[in-house]
Structure formats: C-alpha cells, structure tokens
Amino acid sequence: MVEPIELYWKCGLANPHTSHCLGSGQIMISCMGDPSGNAKGGFVLLDGETFEVISNWEHQGEAAPFGYDFWYQPRHNVMISTEWGAPKALVNGFNPAHVQEGLYGSALNIWDWTTHKKLQRLDLGEEGAIPLEVRFLHEPSAAEGYVGCALNSTVFRFYKTAEGDWAAEKVISIPNKKVEGWMLPEMPGLITDILISLDDRYLYFSNWLHGDIRQYDITDRRNPQLVGQVFLGGSIVRDGPIRVLEDPENQEQPRPCIIKGKRIAGSPQMLQLSLDGRRLYTTTSLYSGWDKQFYPDMIREGSVMMQINVDTVDGGLALNEDFLVDFGKEPDGPVLAHELRYPGGDCTSDIWL
C-alpha cells in the first residue's frame, strides 16, 4: 500500500487517479492535486516490484494546471494528459459557479515522453470543458485518439499535425435536454468514460446524467456514426421527479432499469470491454461526493455492475438481463465500485510499443 504521506513528502502530490505500467518496469500514476486540495497535474513513479515511491515523472515546476487521466504513445514520443478540477472544489459535488471561478480544466497537456518536458497546452475551449478520459487508438503507429469532455458532453478527436504539433477537433456532441425538477433548466449528458475497442472500430461512452451508453463506428475517424445505444437508469427515468420538456434528439424518457428484480439506482459510468469486443461492462459510481449529490439512493444501496451484449458486425447494444453484480450486498457494504480491469490486460490499460 502507498501511504498518502509518501506522495506528499516525495512528490508534493495528492489525489492519485490513473495508473499505467511503463516499459521500464515502473508504474506511473497521475495525480489531481497538492496536499492542500489545490489543482496540480503531476505524476508519481513507483518501483514496479516494491511499490516504493521513487519520484515525480515531470520536472520540478512543470506540473500541469490540472490533472486526471493520461495515455502515452512511445512511437510518437508523446504523452497526453487531461484535466478534471481542483480536488477542494469537486469533493462535495458539482457547483456550476466553480467553472466560472477557474476551478475546472479545459485542455489537453502534451508532453515529450523522453525528456518529460511539457510541450503544449491544447485548450479545447468551452465546448471541451472538463476533459476526462483520453484514449489513443490501439494501433501503436497511430497518431490520433479521442477524449470525452464531461461538462458539455462532447468528444474531441486529437491528432498530430504535419508540422509536428498536436491539434483537436470536435467530432461528437450530445445535446442538453431542457428539464424541470432539476438543479438547472438544462441537463447535459455528462460524458464520464470512453473506450475504444481493440480493433479500433468502435468508440463507446457513458452519459452519466442522461443514463445511456452509446456505441459509435469510428472507421471514418473524423465522422463517428452512432450505431448502438442503451439506457440503464440515469436521472431522467419516466417515473422520476425530473421531467424532460424538450429533447433535440426526440427520445422518450426511458423506463427504469430493473435487473433480476432490482431497480438500478444510479447510471452507467466506468466502462470495460472484453477483448473480443462482445461484452461491455459498466459500473455506476463516479465519485462519492458526486454520487451523493446526483444519485443519493446509490449511496444507501451501493453501486452495481451490469453487462451489455455488443453486436460487433453491424453495431448495437442490448442489456444482459441475467447478469448483475450488486455491491450493496458486500459484507462491509454497501460499497461504491468504480474501475473495471481484466486480468492480463484490457482495452483501457494496455499500451503497445
């Protein structure tokens, strides 16, 4: 176990998030803040055998303004990291005023993988506010990928330009729904997790507020096509307190999601895909402070894991109604399960050289 005090003393960091194994045998973990809860996007190196904290990966004074996820691509000598927000702002839930106060990020940070120097801060603007999960294509020679941006429910494609720097373009946008009975007059989808199938054909993401998972064919990298969608709970179920007044996509409010007699409290959040691409798994907890704000029933009942069957030929998603892992029934529960990992590697942790 890595104690918080080790991160403080040796690296001046706190709030660890994403981990990746390196070719050197070390483990690298991104962090979101400093010990006082201020935003700070730095990286910790651990010994791969003893798990001892070694040092920062970035040079002193070169941490990014915000931290969250990261992905590296050795063939292009690059690492890209994303930005959530200051831990002291997000710990107790989401306050829209904090966005205007500059406590949430909106950029991709581009790093030289060999020298560990920060090369570029690629600002995605208002439409790209709160960029969370970042995914390169799995093909190791590819110099492009996608990032899901939570606040305005957009997906940006990032790519290496002919000049050798990096650029981004918006390729997917999920419209807000006009609602009543909620904290704001419009509800975003709130894209919280994305992943790419191992064959680089499909992109998946979860809309944690609306309650759906979407599947896009990304054969044409600049023009993703929606080919699958399934609602599994969320904030706009038709028998809930929130009423949708206007939906640009003209979708009916979904029915509650009930699996094996249990009504799902919460919404699809973290995703993981089987290596053959046929089974998509999702858990429902985002972050305890946000869970408590948006899905208080999940705090009392615990989160769940669900499984979706995937049509890998023509596209399409269908809930497996015989599969449910209920973390509310844990011996010391209820608990809030979050990340999913396959033993031996999976779609969101493997990086090929």
Side-chain angles (χ1 to χ4, degrees):
M1 178 179 292
V2 179
E3 297 291 344
I5 197 68
E6 293 187 64
L7 300 184
Y8 302 167
W9 284 351
K10 293 186 178 180
C11 302
L13 293 170
N15 306 97
H17 184 263
T18 298
S19 62
H20 280 300
C21 295
L22 309 186
S24 65
Q26 295 176 328
I27 299 168
M28 184 167 160
I29 304 175
S30 60
C31 291
M32 296 172 54
D34 67 15
S36 298
N38 300 305
K40 184 178 182 181
F43 306 89
V44 173
L45 290 175
L46 304 183
D47 184 286
E49 295 184 357
T50 67
F51 299 105
E52 178 184 358
V53 177
I54 299 171
S55 66
N56 295 74
W57 178 85
E58 77 280 5
H59 296 299
Q60 185 175 4
E62 286 218 357
F66 297 89
Y68 188 65
D69 194 25
F70 74 100
W71 196 287
Y72 65 90
Q73 179 47 274
R75 290 203 191 183
H76 295 280
N77 192 38
V78 69
M79 181 182 83
I80 296 181
S81 65
T82 62
E83 302 182 339
W84 188 0
K88 65 182 180 182
L90 57 88
V91 66
N92 292 317
F94 177 65
N95 182 347
H98 288 159
V99 177
Q100 301 303 320
E101 293 169 11
L103 296 177
Y104 284 91
S106 62
L108 300 180
N109 295 284
I110 317 298
W111 305 78
D112 185 296
W113 182 240
T114 302
T115 67
H116 306 185
K117 291 183 178 180
K118 190 167 52 180
L119 302 175
Q120 186 180 351
R121 188 167 188 264
L122 185 57
D123 195 336
L124 303 179
E126 183 177 346
E127 288 190 308
I130 313 183
L132 296 181
E133 307 294 341
V134 60
R135 309 285 184 239
F136 266 95
L137 296 180
H138 295 291
E139 165 55 50
S141 64
E144 62 180 321
Y146 300 89
V147 59
C149 303
L151 188 59
N152 289 296
S153 307
T154 57
V155 175
F156 278 71
R157 170 183 171 262
F158 59 86
Y159 58 96
K160 191 175 184 179
T161 71
E163 291 73 31
D165 60 353
W166 293 79
E169 59 182 352
K170 185 182 70 173
V171 293
I172 299 173
S173 182
I174 305 303
N176 292 349
K177 301 178 188 293
K178 291 186 178 180
V179 296
E180 65 178 7
W182 197 58
M183 61 183 290
L184 296 171
E186 293 191 8
M187 180 188 292
L190 203 79
I191 295 174
T192 52
D193 195 19
I194 71 170
L195 64 76
I196 299 173
S197 60
L198 282 181
D199 61 4
D200 290 336
R201 180 179 175 187
Y202 293 114
L203 172 87
Y204 301 85
F205 64 77
S206 53
N207 284 308
W208 192 63
L209 288 179
H210 289 175
D212 60 315
I213 296 175
R214 301 193 181 205
Q215 176 193 26
Y216 284 79
D217 187 317
I218 54 170
T219 305
D220 182 346
R221 308 300 187 201
R222 300 186 67 184
N223 295 286
Q225 299 297 311
L226 179 66
V227 293
Q229 182 182 23
V230 61
F231 279 88
L232 303 172
S235 296
I236 57 169
V237 290
R238 63 181 60 176
D239 64 349
I242 298 169
R243 180 184 172 210
V244 176
L245 302 177
E246 183 179 328
D247 183 355
E249 295 181 307
N250 294 316
Q251 296 180 328
E252 293 185 0
Q253 289 191 234
R255 295 184 176 90
C257 181
I258 300 174
I259 306 175
K260 302 176 75 171
K262 178 180 175 61
R263 179 176 175 135
I264 302 305
S267 180
Q269 207 284 106
M270 295 305 293
L271 304 172
Q272 192 54 261
L273 186 67
S274 62
L275 301 184
D276 63 6
R278 296 179 180 179
R279 295 171 306 284
L280 182 66
Y281 296 89
T282 181
T283 54
T284 51
S285 173
L286 172 60
Y287 182 70
S288 59
W290 291 41
D291 294 348
K292 182 178 180 180
Q293 179 182 11
F294 294 108
Y295 296 111
D297 287 348
M298 185 166 58
I299 297 292
R300 294 186 291 268
E301 298 180 21
S303 66
V304 300
M305 180 168 67
M306 298 172 279
Q307 187 241 306
I308 300 95
N309 294 321
V310 179
D311 184 336
T312 59
V313 178
D314 301 315
L317 302 175
L319 174 66
N320 180 350
E321 297 184 2
D322 294 320
F323 181 98
L324 181 71
V325 179
D326 186 351
F327 293 97
K329 296 182 178 180
E330 288 293 303
D332 297 320
V335 297
L336 299 173
H338 178 77
E339 188 67 273
L340 302 95
R341 285 284 182 258
Y342 265 85
D346 53 52
C347 295
T348 59
S349 60
D350 278 3
I351 296 173
W352 283 272
L353 303 178

